[in-house]
Amino acid sequence: MLCGRYDAALFDLDGVIYLGPRSVEGAPEGVEGLRAEGVTVGFVTNNAARTPQTVADHLTRLGIDCGLADVVTSAQASARMLAEALPPAAKVLICGTPALAAEIEAVGLTPVWSSQDGPVAVIQGYDPEMTWPRVTDAAHAVQGGARWYATNPDMTRPTDLGLEPGLGTQIATLRVCLEPGAEPEMAGKPFPPLLRETVRRLSAEHPIFVGDRLDTDIEGAFNAGMDSLFVFTGAHGMRDLFAADPSWRPTHVGYDIRALLKPARTVEISDDTARCGAAVARIDDARVQISGHGTERESQLDALWAALQLVWRAADRGSGADPGPVIEALDQLH
């Protein structure tokens, strides 16, 4: 099994373990199976809106056994980062939820809610009830000299109803008010602090990170020097994978987290042909064609994995290969 290569499995939450109020297909069974195999499980989220206890309670209600120590949020990692950079008791303007403020206070800093309170820093975190006046106030504070932080860059959030705007949209609002090139300091994925904090807490030596986004989850694992598994249950899909730059390319792919309990996919490449299981991918006149695959999801994943190796290799060589026929053929992965 793939999980046999690792001592810990770290999971993104939105789009990987749950979609709003319901669990993702196979998530409870997958977590239970991993624990039965002796694999340590950790839940990692860029979403700073909720407390770790709230996240743990949510997972438990979904049938996934979870304790407080199993959850690490971008709010926690951000608070540690701010505590290392700012003087004790420094005032920090909270452009986020009370859960983010609680983490800031827990590390000895002073959360404030107005630029008129003289903050030396501003931190943005996802808040589903964020108001325009609060974002404007944060912009004024940063323009006035406050140091700018944000918990994570996610532009969208996958939910049971569809994609919704994420914190990245609020960050973009501040960005247009500041000097060209201004960017907040971040702890959340794809930046390393959040995953490093998780590894430290779980005492993991060789973990794998599982995510649904290439720009935060997979790149985050890459930046932390960690293997990754991409799953199709959230934000990104085949087109994103084929277009991925090296730092966005996962070590493994699976439909959902139960892929960790299955054999790892391997590919044999010869010239312009790649084979994974019974599936074969070929480059013919700069277009990728696949054969030998069936209608079953796992068979189509084999074909995808073979095709990805050819497309990525062609991209790295500067030649390119059109994956259009593959995307059209693999109907179980849309």
Side-chain angles (χ1 to χ4, degrees):
M1 288 187 286
L2 175 57
C3 67
R5 302 182 180 188
Y6 306 97
D7 66 340
L10 315 181
F11 295 101
D12 176 54
L13 291 177
D14 292 315
V16 176
I17 299 296
Y18 54 61
L19 287 166
R22 62 179 177 85
S23 63
V24 164
E25 178 184 351
E29 301 93 325
V31 171
E32 183 178 357
L34 288 168
R35 286 178 167 149
E37 293 294 326
V39 179
T40 298
V41 172
F43 302 102
V44 186
T45 179
N46 262 4
N47 189 339
R50 302 191 296 174
T51 67
Q53 186 63 62
T54 300
V55 173
D57 292 343
H58 183 190
L59 290 169
T60 300
R61 286 194 299 272
L62 294 177
I64 299 170
D65 185 31
C66 181
L68 184 59
D70 300 329
V71 178
V72 183
T73 72
S74 64
Q76 292 173 306
S78 296
R80 175 180 287 273
M81 185 169 70
L82 266 67
E84 292 173 350
L86 304 177
K91 294 181 179 179
V92 178
L93 176 61
I94 307 298
C95 193
T97 65
L100 176 58
E103 297 296 342
I104 294 298
E105 188 172 24
V107 296
L109 300 173
T110 305
V112 297
W113 299 91
S114 169
S115 62
Q116 299 303 307
D117 293 325
V120 300
V122 171
I123 184 164
Q124 290 182 278
Y126 177 71
D127 184 345
E129 298 181 0
M130 182 56 60
T131 64
W132 199 255
R134 291 181 62 198
V135 175
T136 300
D137 191 49
H140 293 161
V142 176
Q143 291 174 62
R147 198 164 169 175
W148 185 22
Y149 292 90
T151 58
N152 62 285
D154 301 48
M155 293 300 295
T156 59
R157 293 180 58 249
T159 74
D160 57 320
L161 300 177
L163 290 178
E164 298 180 353
L167 177 61
T169 60
Q170 296 172 22
I171 293 172
T173 302
L174 256 70
R175 188 181 289 120
V176 299
C177 299
L178 305 176
E179 294 292 328
E183 292 291 338
E185 300 174 63
M186 297 193 208
K189 302 165 291 173
F191 301 96
L194 175 55
L195 290 185
R196 289 177 179 167
E197 175 73 2
T198 305
V199 169
R200 183 189 68 83
R201 291 189 183 206
L202 298 181
S203 299
E205 295 184 358
H206 189 44
I208 183 172
F209 188 75
V210 184
D212 67 305
R213 294 189 65 100
L214 304 181
D215 56 344
T216 54
D217 298 328
I218 304 306
E219 185 180 2
F222 177 88
N223 291 339
M226 192 180 300
D227 284 359
S228 60
L229 167 67
F230 172 83
V231 294
F232 284 83
T233 50
H236 287 163
M238 281 192 288
R239 294 184 185 277
D240 306 294
L241 281 168
F242 279 116
D245 290 333
S247 64
W248 287 22
R249 298 171 188 171
T251 316
H252 310 279
V253 297
Y255 188 76
D256 56 48
I257 73 167
R258 290 173 294 184
L260 289 166
L261 298 171
K262 300 172 183 177
R265 288 186 167 80
T266 59
V267 176
E268 298 177 359
I269 301 179
S270 176
D271 297 325
D272 287 335
T273 301
R275 179 183 298 273
C276 180
V280 177
R282 294 184 177 87
I283 296 180
D284 183 11
D285 194 24
R287 287 168 65 83
V288 185
Q289 307 288 346
I290 52 175
S291 61
H293 63 286
T295 58
E296 302 84 4
R297 188 180 284 166
E298 291 301 312
S299 177
Q300 295 200 0
L301 283 165
D302 287 346
L304 172 65
W305 196 230
L308 283 169
Q309 309 314 307
L310 294 182
V311 170
W312 290 342
R313 186 177 67 168
D316 293 344
R317 293 174 174 177
S319 56
D322 179 11
V326 180
I327 295 172
E328 292 178 5
L330 302 182
D331 60 310
Q332 294 299 309
L333 304 182
H334 289 287

